[in-house]
Amino acid sequence: MAGQWQTDVLGEPFEQFTLDLGLDEEDGPLAASLVRLLPNPVVAVLQPLRDVDVLYVHGWSDFFFQAELARFWTGLGARFHALDLRRYGRSLRAGNSPGYIDALDDYDVDIEAALTVMGQGTDAAPRRRLVLVGHSTGGLTLTLWAARHPGRASAVVLNSPWLEFQFGAVGRQAIAPLVNARARFDPRGNQPAVDLGFYTRALTELGVLPLAVDHPDWRPERGFPTRPAWLAAILDGHRRIAAGVDVGCPALVLLSSRSTPPLAWNEAMTTSDSVLVVDDIAKSATRIGRLVTIARIPDAVHDVFLSGPAARAEAYRVLRRWVVDAVGRGIRPLV
């Protein structure tokens, strides 16, 4: 793929590569963006993940800025890559409808473009193993991708993945026909705001938001506007998870130990998940594969790696122990 690496907005040594998707829709041309951080080659050769490539995908109304997470992986010898999907973050172009998609499988184009640049494309014979890391909506997207592409990933790590609707399976089944009907006739129509800004407030109080990245449109306080077709795509993803999928490799699911309903501001939101119902996500996680580890992190927020110091340290401790055991010792895909 033509193009070149340039210094990323996070600054050196982070680099960015623009992925031309060759798509031009009614809201303009679409691109994706790949960010990478490479390990010190002298140190990496002694690390347990020296033959691993990591691909991270962000959540809704988000982009990649978690430098600490990237350094965790490179510290274990892995090559770290993060994908800002079309209409998100670095990939958001003038006129684009932020975050819009009408089928989660359409992200296959973005993911495959990223993997090709990483040397993990379908035409390559990768000598390195692939670990997928997804947060929230990115976790849902990567779970479905891995299930449709068995054998490509050696492990999947999901950080509070959005595997089920907030009103549960019954609520999802009740609203799906109405959402699907509107998606057919008014796919990009307006919907009531669902994000009241409490999660952003919690992260602000924790002091973990990227102050150095001056792009407020990449991560607005109350999230992107939602559209009927986008919601229909999400509900369809939840339906497929509920029916059962198989990512074909070991999977780790990291979740907070509890949720706080996002109805009014509560200080508990700085020590709990105020976005998802984590008990429902834990139940849904049992349907994504044959070897799934579910880790509940006390006092974690929705992005467990943006939690307060104690919870964040515990999340990294659990991740390190799991990934060194499941990946560092050479466990291969379950296909």
Side-chain angles (χ1 to χ4, degrees), residues 31-260:
S33 305
L34 189 63
V35 180
R36 74 176 179 184
L37 181 68
L38 301 180
N40 182 315
V42 175
V43 176
V45 72
L46 302 175
Q47 299 303 315
L49 305 188
R50 57 188 173 272
D51 67 334
V52 167
D53 288 331
V54 173
L55 179 63
Y56 170 93
V57 175
H58 56 81
W60 170 247
S61 299
D62 213 343
F63 66 100
F64 169 70
F65 61 87
Q66 292 86 341
E68 182 182 50
L69 179 63
R71 294 190 179 100
F72 165 85
W73 288 100
T74 59
L76 292 175
R79 297 175 183 173
F80 179 86
H81 302 78
L83 176 61
D84 277 10
L85 298 165
R86 64 181 76 176
R87 301 187 178 102
Y88 282 94
R90 299 163 180 81
S91 310
L92 189 58
R93 302 292 185 262
N96 283 173
S97 179
Y100 180 79
I101 200 78
D102 54 25
L104 293 179
D105 293 4
D106 288 351
Y107 286 134
D108 282 17
V109 176
D110 309 50
I111 295 169
E112 201 59 57
L115 292 175
T116 297
V117 171
M118 292 167 57
Q120 293 276 354
T122 55
D123 295 336
R127 293 175 296 174
R128 302 174 62 83
R129 290 174 293 162
L130 175 65
V131 174
L132 302 175
V133 182
H135 170 54
S136 198
T137 313
L140 173 63
T141 299
L142 287 181
T143 297
L144 296 172
W145 184 90
R148 295 194 312 277
H149 300 83
R152 297 286 296 276
S154 292
V156 173
V157 176
L158 303 176
N159 169 9
S160 301
W162 193 12
L163 301 180
E164 181 55 278
F165 194 53
Q166 282 83 331
F167 297 122
V170 174
R172 167 173 50 80
Q173 293 165 0
I175 72 166
L178 300 175
V179 172
N180 292 336
R182 188 168 179 216
R184 287 193 295 271
F185 295 105
D186 188 19
R188 296 180 185 242
N190 294 320
Q191 296 188 140
V194 295
D195 187 342
L196 300 179
F198 299 135
Y199 179 52
T200 297
R201 178 175 172 179
L203 296 183
T204 300
E205 292 204 3
L206 290 169
V208 294
L209 288 179
L211 300 179
V213 180
D214 188 21
H215 293 275
D217 56 322
W218 290 5
R219 200 178 196 283
E221 179 182 356
R222 297 198 173 197
F224 295 150
T226 65
R227 309 296 178 187
W230 170 84
L231 182 55
I234 296 296
L235 294 178
D236 180 65
H238 294 162
R239 177 192 59 78
R240 285 188 275 170
I241 296 295
V245 299
D246 187 354
V247 296
C249 59
L252 171 65
V253 179
L254 294 157
L255 297 167
S256 179
S257 60
R258 60 196 176 98
S259 295
T260 297

